[in-house]
Amino acid sequence: MQLRYNFRVYPTPGQQIELARAFGCARVVFNDAVRLRRQAREQGLPYVSDAELSRQVITGAKTTPERAWLGEVSAVVLQQALADLNTAYRNFFASVTGKRNGREVAPPRFRSRKGNRQAIRFTKNSRFKVLDDGRLRLPKIGDLVVRWSRTLPSDPSSVAIIKDAAGRYFASFVVQSTDEPLPELDSEVGIDLGLTHFAVLSDGTKVTAAKFLRRAARKLKRLQQALARKQPGSSNRRKAVVKVARAHARVADTRRDWQHKLSTTLIRENQAVYVEDLCVAGLGRTRLAKSVHDAAWAGFTAMLEYKAARYGRTFARVDRFFPSTRRCSDCGRINEKMTLNVRAWDCPCGAAHDRDVNAALNVLAAGQADNGNDRGAQVRPGLVPAPRGEAVTHPDAARSTRSVAGISVLQGGEDVNVGTSPTT
């Protein structure tokens, strides 16, 4: 399994200038390649291949006075910018032709020099190296100071240097990690995700939603108001932008750390974890959009999925159309739709349910039913044609039609249910 490890780096002022130059060169190469392919399409010319694109926007461009400064940065950085563009085009073509699932992917756009996030990537061909003293040596940039929080499990295959909107620099290593199976357990859990309680487990445990964005709303409002009062293009406005970005980064980092701790606990304490497949994109367009984005369900379920694969656990998603809330976990009866303010309800079978706990129990049962076969076969039986003897009409009867009143009338014959029908 490939994993990504992020560490904070602290470049010197001179290294920051070199990194800014590398960011700019990678952006220019990317935009030149996008422009070249767009012009070829508008003029009706053949699609520019990857090799021809590299020859024109990198190799040939370095020999021109307008792009001679591309030689001041590592060639691997420029090649990886083109690799990102080619990947974007392949995803776009696969989406257009229907080979890619999910929402449609738009064609690549130009990168802006005013973007809040900049990134470049170095592969093994660039000969980057982690020195014995812990510094990261990058070609034509120098040795960067890295704040190591843990050791890498193996030699990295690539490293990306990222500058975020808050002005922080990170080194993101891609490493090949081996699976570390945990001891098998007998416990399994179903999770119902919500807003009041972030997660309700099938054993009755309720995890209160932290609501990091809501708690920081007052400070964010004050910083946004201060930003709005600054003169556009001034130094004070740039400083205010960084302050707002740092406040948002603090919220995102705190939320991510909290979700990592919760997901690790769930994976370590349960052999199987089942969650409901929520339509986060659709819920993000409702009046609860701010709370939905603050909860970050998609990021949390992604953590559960990759940690389960790494530690030998079972993770599965239950169909989003499964009526987990309205279904009685005792008798299986499906009740009418309930509004959000109904937090508890009674089933005619006599069972009293907490809305969220009942949903978590149903998610657990549905997940166990769909994943109970170790060979991956379908557990639930499919549709089977009815036996011939159970047909309502005689096998040798003529084809029937449907009358206006809804009573089946045989052509040239007699309906077997006419004598018992109250409408005859």
Side-chain angles (χ1 to χ4, degrees):
M1 175 185 295
Q2 283 189 338
L3 297 178
R4 186 176 292 276
Y5 286 75
N6 295 337
F7 302 95
R8 184 82 178 269
V9 296
Y10 296 89
T12 62
Q15 292 171 345
Q16 293 181 12
I17 296 176
E18 296 298 330
L19 287 173
R21 182 179 290 111
F23 293 147
C25 291
R27 183 185 65 252
V28 169
V29 168
F30 186 92
N31 291 342
D32 288 346
V34 172
R35 185 180 299 105
L36 190 62
R37 280 184 171 167
R38 285 188 179 182
Q39 291 176 354
R41 180 178 180 275
E42 293 172 356
Q43 298 174 6
L45 301 177
Y47 180 78
V48 183
S49 64
D50 298 349
E52 179 65 18
L53 200 65
S54 176
R55 188 186 66 82
Q56 294 191 32
V57 300
I58 297 180
T59 307
K62 289 181 180 180
T63 60
T64 62
E66 295 81 6
R67 294 288 189 267
W69 36 263
L70 291 177
E72 299 177 2
V73 301
S74 174
V76 175
V77 172
L78 308 181
Q79 292 291 346
Q80 291 303 306
L82 286 186
D84 293 340
L85 175 67
N86 297 329
T87 302
Y89 267 108
R90 285 193 292 269
N91 292 337
F92 168 66
F93 293 142
S95 177
V96 171
T97 57
K99 298 179 181 179
R100 179 185 175 92
N101 298 328
R103 293 180 294 180
E104 293 184 0
V105 178
R109 300 179 297 177
F110 293 112
R111 290 181 176 177
S112 174
R113 62 180 301 181
K114 299 181 181 180
N116 294 328
R117 185 181 184 275
Q118 304 288 339
I120 54 176
R121 186 167 61 251
F122 296 88
T123 60
K124 285 187 175 181
N125 296 333
S126 64
R127 300 182 183 275
F128 72 90
K129 185 179 180 181
V130 179
L131 304 179
D132 295 336
D133 59 357
R135 294 175 180 262
L136 174 63
R137 177 167 294 176
L138 299 177
K140 296 189 178 182
I141 292 178
D143 300 343
L144 300 178
V145 177
V146 183
R147 183 68 59 83
W148 298 99
S149 59
R150 50 185 170 173
T151 59
L152 296 176
S154 62
D155 293 335
S157 60
S158 66
V159 58
I161 304 300
I162 304 169
K163 180 184 178 182
D164 64 1
R168 303 177 300 176
Y169 292 85
F170 295 91
S172 180
F173 297 91
V174 175
V175 299
Q176 188 70 28
S177 176
T178 58
D179 296 341
E180 303 174 4
L182 296 174
E184 294 189 3
L185 302 174
D186 296 332
S187 60
E188 298 183 355
V189 66
I191 304 176
D192 177 66
L193 300 176
L195 296 178
T196 304
H197 293 93
F198 177 78
V200 178
L201 310 185
S202 54
D203 59 1
T205 304
K206 295 185 177 182
V207 181
T208 305
K211 300 180 180 179
F212 298 100
L213 183 61
R214 296 286 186 179
R215 292 192 299 179
R218 180 174 298 180
K219 182 178 180 180
L220 287 171
K221 179 181 179 180
R222 177 175 55 82
L223 293 175
Q224 291 282 9
Q225 290 175 343
L227 173 62
R229 289 192 292 266
K230 298 299 185 291
Q231 186 70 22
S234 63
S235 299
N236 288 334
R237 182 176 178 85
R238 288 194 294 270
K239 296 177 183 178
V241 169
V242 174
K243 290 182 180 180
V244 173
R246 287 177 179 174
H248 280 287
R250 187 176 296 107
V251 172
D253 293 344
T254 308
R255 181 194 297 115
R256 190 182 305 110
D257 178 72
W258 182 79
Q259 290 186 347
H260 268 297
K261 293 177 180 177
L262 177 60
S263 59
T264 300
T265 302
L266 292 174
I267 292 298
R268 289 185 180 277
E269 296 179 353
N270 299 279
Q271 183 64 31
V273 178
Y274 308 105
V275 298
E276 189 175 6
D277 186 18
L278 299 174
C279 182
V280 179
L283 294 173
R285 293 191 293 266
T286 63
R287 60 184 179 87
L288 301 175
K290 189 173 183 179
S291 298
V292 170
H293 292 306
D294 190 13
W297 295 324
F300 177 71
T301 54
M303 291 179 187
L304 289 174
E305 186 172 8
Y306 91 81
K307 290 180 181 181
R310 183 182 182 186
Y311 296 113
R313 302 306 197 197
T314 300
F315 174 83
R317 301 174 189 266
V318 177
D319 186 13
R320 67 181 57 174
F321 298 106
F322 176 71
S324 59
T325 303
R326 299 183 292 120
R327 186 188 186 97
C328 177
S329 57
D330 290 346
C331 66
R333 182 179 184 272
I334 300 179
N335 298 306
E336 299 294 332
K337 291 185 177 181
M338 295 177 289
T339 58
L340 291 177
N341 59 351
V342 178
R343 309 312 306 173
W345 55 280
D346 297 331
C347 182
C349 69
H353 295 296
D354 179 276
R355 178 192 182 107
D356 299 329
V357 176
N358 175 72
L361 290 172
N362 287 326
V363 168
L364 174 62
Q368 291 174 338
D370 289 337
N371 297 277
N373 193 311
D374 292 337
R375 299 181 63 87
Q378 183 179 2
V379 178
R380 296 178 179 175
L383 299 178
V384 180
R388 192 174 182 84
E390 295 182 4
V392 176
T393 57
H394 295 288
D396 55 351
R399 182 183 301 175
S400 63
T401 59
R402 187 70 60 180
S403 67
V404 177
I407 302 176
S408 179
V409 180
L410 295 177
Q411 296 178 350
E414 212 173 23
D415 192 352
V416 295
N417 289 334
V418 169
T420 60
S421 174
T423 58
T424 56

